[in-house]
Amino acid sequence: MNRLLITGSIALDSVKTPIEEHQDMLGGSASYAAVAASFFVPVNMVGIVGSDFPAEYRALYEKFSIDLDGLEVADGPTFRWSGEYEWDLNNRRTLSIALNVFETFLPKLPEAYRETPYVFLANIAPQLQMHVLEQVTRPKFIVADTMDLWIETTRDDLMELLTKIDCLVLNDSETREFTKETSLIKAARQILKWGPKYVVVKKGEHGCLLFGEDLFFSAPAYPLEDIHDPTGAGDCFAGAMAGYLAKHDRLDHDTLRRAVVYGSALASFNVEAFSLGRLQSLTPEHIEERYQLFKLMSQFEMK
Ligand code: AMP
């Protein structure tokens, strides 16, 4: 079975919604992506934590058989992020961010990781994403995520990264900000010209769009009744999508469409609880059931 290499942030998150508040939970783009991807393939994780990183969170990764040889433990505190949601959970404000051990992080891939065929560069500085990529030999398919911060502060690095990856995943407002286009269609076409073969635009609770040459697919979002914490939904989406592609080891349009729907399914579960709470009780049967519901929801010609 193919493995998937994932790098990104590992964080202690404090999240506040109008209803609940939790401190120092396991978070970070790599944590969400790795756990979601592990439902499809074994994951090699590259990241950094501080000496205060709780043993129970390390045990959680191990429960999902995530390989931790690429996890560096440095002196100092783990990366911390805190955010607050409005009643409309699409609207989030970052309250504080402390890079801590990330400030001096220079990822070094264990020898055994270098030939991992599928790679997901979850959200961290594009320079770090590139640094990881440079150490991978002959990757088959590279997916990368990014955020508004990097579009605003390290645009040149991001543009360089685009020439080295196969698929960029970003959300709708970031897509518009990046390209200065109001139309997501025109914006995605512009990003394709900058390098990647595929672009996925996430639209939060409104689903997502997949673009490529001769490829357009609009995936619905699952109509959620039970939504507690949207943090990490995008990371779960992209991690599961990359995991599905690695598992099937095919990159035809049909497989890409299915990967996007499995990504949406994992994201929809993740928001049902804080941190990685929901994914801890998730089974492959639950995922399959939700995938079938996605299929049913998007059919409009019932014979
Ligand atoms: P998302 O909800 O997909 O935007 O991802 C939320 C996760 O991103 C949280 O668990 C945070 O720890 C992490 N995060 C927030 N800011 C950053 C940043 N600047 N770099 C890397 N990860 C971040």
Side-chain angles (χ1 to χ4, degrees):
M1 167 107 65
N2 278 321
R3 298 188 74 90
L4 173 66
L5 177 75
I6 295 184
T7 193
S9 61
I10 294 167
L12 297 178
D13 283 351
S14 295
V15 176
K16 193 171 173 192
T17 70
I19 296 171
E20 267 180 275
E21 189 174 346
H22 294 275
Q23 310 284 333
D24 287 343
M25 300 174 295
L26 179 58
S29 57
S31 302
Y32 283 108
V35 171
S38 74
F39 285 91
F40 303 94
V41 279
V43 172
N44 293 339
M45 189 161 78
V46 176
I48 189 166
V49 295
S51 42
D52 58 350
F53 191 66
E56 61 177 295
Y57 293 166
R58 203 183 167 97
L60 189 149
Y61 292 141
E62 281 161 354
K63 187 182 143 206
F64 288 95
S65 303
I66 295 166
D67 190 290
L68 300 179
D69 284 352
L71 180 65
E72 186 181 330
V73 183
D75 279 340
T78 302
F79 172 64
R80 275 177 170 72
W81 173 81
S82 80
E84 179 174 12
Y85 289 90
E86 296 177 11
W87 278 104
D88 176 348
L89 296 177
N90 286 308
N91 298 330
R92 177 175 82 190
R93 201 159 61 90
T94 291
L95 297 175
S96 67
I97 188 160
L99 290 176
N100 298 334
V101 290
F102 254 102
E103 252 170 298
T104 50
F105 182 44
L106 204 60
K108 189 169 181 319
L109 255 59
E111 203 52 45
Y113 283 18
R114 290 175 194 259
E115 296 211 349
T116 322
Y118 285 80
V119 180
F120 174 47
L121 308 168
N123 176 32
I124 37 166
Q127 225 181 2
L128 288 181
Q129 293 174 314
M130 272 190 286
H131 188 76
V132 168
L133 208 49
E134 278 158 14
Q135 299 172 64
V136 183
T137 44
R138 295 188 300 277
K140 252 189 184 169
F141 199 75
I142 304 155
V143 181
D145 192 357
T146 195
M147 73 186 293
D148 49 0
L149 177 68
W150 314 123
I151 293 171
E152 288 153 20
T153 61
T154 56
R155 192 183 171 94
D156 290 348
D157 291 343
L158 193 55
M159 292 302 282
E160 195 187 335
L161 178 77
L162 291 191
T163 64
K164 301 176 194 298
I165 62 169
D166 298 291
C167 177
L168 181 71
V169 178
L170 70 183
N171 74 28
D172 43 6
S173 63
E174 290 158 355
T175 307
R176 293 190 171 105
E177 183 181 353
F178 195 16
T179 58
K180 311 242 171 348
E181 286 282 1
T182 48
S183 151
L184 291 178
I185 312 284
K186 283 188 184 160
R189 264 195 222 126
Q190 179 59 62
I191 296 173
L192 289 174
K193 281 194 196 134
W194 288 337
K197 289 191 219 49
Y198 307 99
V199 176
V200 179
V201 180
K202 299 170 288 180
K203 299 189 295 170
E205 62 175 339
H206 306 297
C208 70
L209 304 172
L210 164 66
F211 298 88
E213 205 190 10
D214 305 324
L215 172 64
F216 173 78
F217 175 54
S218 173
Y222 187 74
L224 276 163
E225 272 187 55
D226 201 18
I227 169 160
H228 288 268
D229 174 17
T231 309
D235 310 311
C236 287
F237 168 86
M241 182 189 97
Y244 184 85
L245 294 173
K247 177 178 178 176
H248 293 273
D249 203 11
R250 284 200 309 265
L251 299 162
D252 56 277
H253 289 183
D254 201 39
T255 309
L256 283 160
R257 279 192 181 87
R258 286 168 202 259
V260 161
V261 175
Y262 275 102
S264 306
L266 264 290
S268 75
F269 282 116
N270 183 60
V271 304
E272 291 177 4
F274 277 75
S275 182
L276 286 149
R278 180 64 184 96
L279 298 200
Q280 286 186 71
S281 60
L282 195 65
T283 65
E285 291 72 32
H286 294 143
I287 297 173
E288 208 42 48
E289 194 184 317
R290 192 154 291 183
Y291 177 81
Q292 293 305 331
L293 282 172
F294 267 94
K295 207 164 151 183
L296 207 72
M297 265 177 359
S298 32
Q299 252 172 327
F300 63 93
E301 275 197 16
M302 305 290 198
K303 291 249 165 76

